Amino acid sequence: MRIGELAARAGTTTRTLRYYESRGLLPARRGTNGYRTYDESDLKLLRQIRTLQDFGFDLEETRPFVECLRAGHPEGDSCPASLAVYRRKLDELDALIGELKAVRATIAVRLASADEPPLCEWGGQEL
């Protein structure tokens, strides 16, 4: 298939595909007519990249998954390098969750103290 068809099937743009190609994530095969050509395995690579990006992985973090697929594995997360990226991402997420829990606790305390009836600045009477 040509670049436009691949982009449409992957739900992305030709510009994005060219960018992935420039980053070495998508193969740069050309037909005899000079046009880029792709096959179903390229679509699988793109779907892997897009899924990981939807999960918050940056583009470089998708590389081990792409390389795993290119090596002939049925899934991009069946290689040790991919699993290492998963582990790092889980560590990042756990740290963020911890930070968010701390912020939430602080906000809850402030909200609880703000729920007390305010005193009027003039004369100390409730509003």
Side-chain angles (χ1 to χ4, degrees), residues 15-67:
R15 182 177 181 195
T16 298
L17 298 184
R18 285 188 206 97
Y19 179 69
Y20 291 169
E21 181 183 306
S22 74
R23 298 291 304 266
L25 293 169
L26 194 61
R29 292 185 303 270
R30 302 260 181 187
T32 54
N33 58 6
Y35 293 126
R36 291 172 172 87
T37 60
Y38 302 97
D39 58 26
E40 292 298 319
S41 66
D42 299 318
L43 182 59
K44 188 172 184 174
L45 290 176
L46 284 172
R47 287 185 173 148
Q48 178 76 78
I49 292 168
R50 303 292 291 180
T51 298
L52 291 169
Q53 286 191 306
D54 288 346
F55 292 161
F57 288 69
D58 66 38
L59 191 57
E60 197 54 38
E61 288 174 319
T62 69
R63 188 174 299 280
F65 298 86
V66 169
E67 290 172 357

